[in-house]
Amino acid sequence: MDLAFVPPLYPPKGNRAIYEVKPFSSALHRNLYSRRISPCLATAATQTSQTSEFVVENKKHDLLRAIQETKRGLVTTADQRSSIEEALVSVEGYNLGLPIDLVKLDGTWRLQYTSAPDVLILFEAAARLPFFQVGQIFQKFECRDQSNGGVIRNVVRWSIPTLLEEQEGATLLVSAKFDIVSVRNIYLQFEEITIQNINVSEELQALIAPAILPRSFLSLQILQFIRAFRAQIPVSNPGRQSVGGLYYLSYLDDNMLLGRAVGGGGVFVFTRAQPLE
């Protein structure tokens, strides 16, 4: 029985045409295939990149958690040091072999942890001596417009309680030039140590210029001299090679910097900070 809505298989007699079915050409087949596969590859690449970034961020958080209770490296046990080293190596593996990006490196970095003896001795002194405090420590890189190096400034905020403001009573600045000597190594040449930005405590200001008495010209001059005081001690000498050291930048991204002082000088963990004035 014929179904009314089923069209005839062939055109009516007398008007029958010859239909030729042409196979796809290889070029057309490749074009259609590439159009189908390219978005898939792009999507897969994006997902892989996002997954990798997620893993790296987790590794970085693990590292920050490992150093959280160490007082920037002053108080650590053998187990903690082992866990920190393991977390460091885990993060470093994601940046291995990449050249130093001076644009990313440029800026201010806050010290979160170190095992370097020359820094730990400051923390130890502050822990033992009631008249000495160590505040925040920064590394400031100036290299944005450079191609093979720049300037690094180690900034240490310190204070003497009752005489200077808490934690940030004065600034110790150690300046050095650096040159890139290999893919991840920079060589530091220290040039100058500076003591500056002295902020007198309210107690000392009251002693120099009591608020209940008219401030004399001399007392104001003393306060101004202290605030503007700047002592510079050159480290380099034109007649001899300046003090230097090799520094391995083991990891760098937009918000974390890891470094190792070559020769057993310790490790450093920094996070991005606001620019210093």
Side-chain angles (χ1 to χ4, degrees):
M1 179 177 65
D2 293 335
L3 298 178
F5 55 82
V6 176
L9 185 60
Y10 299 103
K13 293 181 180 179
N15 295 321
R16 185 170 295 175
I18 298 174
Y19 293 91
E20 182 180 359
V21 179
K22 295 182 178 180
F24 286 118
S25 67
S26 60
L28 179 60
H29 185 270
R30 285 196 303 269
N31 188 30
L32 292 175
Y33 179 78
S34 64
R35 289 184 180 180
R36 288 196 303 268
I37 202 67
S38 295
C40 296
L41 289 175
T43 302
T46 301
Q47 291 175 344
T48 302
S49 176
Q50 291 174 346
T51 302
S52 178
E53 290 176 4
F54 179 76
V55 172
V56 174
E57 289 301 315
N58 279 342
K59 297 292 186 182
K60 288 159 58 179
H61 285 304
D62 290 343
L63 173 58
L64 293 177
R65 279 195 294 269
I67 65 176
Q68 190 171 11
E69 303 297 330
T70 66
K71 295 184 179 180
R72 293 182 289 182
L74 175 62
V75 182
T76 58
T77 64
D79 287 342
Q80 282 179 311
R81 290 191 292 272
S82 178
S83 298
I84 291 168
E85 179 63 23
E86 183 178 342
L88 271 166
V89 172
S90 183
V91 175
E92 290 170 337
Y94 288 92
N95 221 194
L96 199 62
L98 296 178
I100 298 170
D101 187 336
L102 291 179
V103 175
K104 281 186 179 180
L105 184 61
D106 184 84
T108 305
W109 301 87
R110 186 195 309 272
L111 180 69
Q112 301 292 351
Y113 172 86
T114 186
S115 60
D118 56 343
V119 180
L120 291 180
I121 194 172
L122 294 177
F123 298 154
E124 290 169 357
R128 293 175 181 175
L129 304 176
F131 54 85
F132 181 61
Q133 292 179 341
V134 176
Q136 296 296 335
I137 296 179
F138 303 91
Q139 273 193 347
K140 182 180 179 184
F141 286 87
E142 300 171 7
C143 53
R144 178 173 293 274
D145 300 322
Q146 304 298 317
S147 59
N148 198 41
V151 174
I152 178 174
R153 304 187 193 280
N154 295 307
V155 182
V156 180
R157 299 282 173 79
W158 60 280
S159 182
I160 300 174
T162 71
L163 296 181
L164 304 177
E165 288 185 1
E166 292 285 325
Q167 301 295 328
E168 298 188 357
T171 299
L172 175 67
L173 189 68
V174 182
S175 302
K177 288 183 178 180
F178 75 89
D179 296 302
I180 298 176
V181 295
S182 67
V183 175
R184 305 292 297 186
N185 284 302
I186 61 176
Y187 184 77
L188 309 181
Q189 288 185 302
F190 295 99
E191 296 190 316
E192 188 177 72
I193 298 174
T194 305
I195 298 175
Q196 61 183 26
N197 299 337
I198 296 179
N199 301 308
V200 179
S201 67
E202 293 183 359
E203 292 90 340
L204 184 57
Q205 289 187 51
L207 181 63
I208 296 174
I212 60 175
L213 297 176
R215 293 196 170 187
S216 66
F217 176 76
L218 178 60
S219 64
L220 292 175
Q221 286 292 98
I222 293 173
L223 288 174
Q224 184 62 30
F225 172 78
I226 294 174
R227 289 168 181 160
F229 178 80
R230 180 185 174 95
Q232 295 176 287
I233 305 170
V235 177
S236 60
N237 190 316
R240 62 183 181 184
Q241 186 177 7
S242 62
V243 179
L246 200 59
Y247 191 31
Y248 176 63
L249 301 180
S250 57
Y251 181 85
L252 170 65
D253 66 12
D254 292 330
N255 51 43
M256 179 172 278
L257 170 64
L258 306 180
R260 294 177 180 268
V262 178
V267 300
F268 299 86
V269 177
F270 293 93
T271 55
R272 179 78 70 177
Q274 293 296 319
L276 296 176
E277 296 180 358

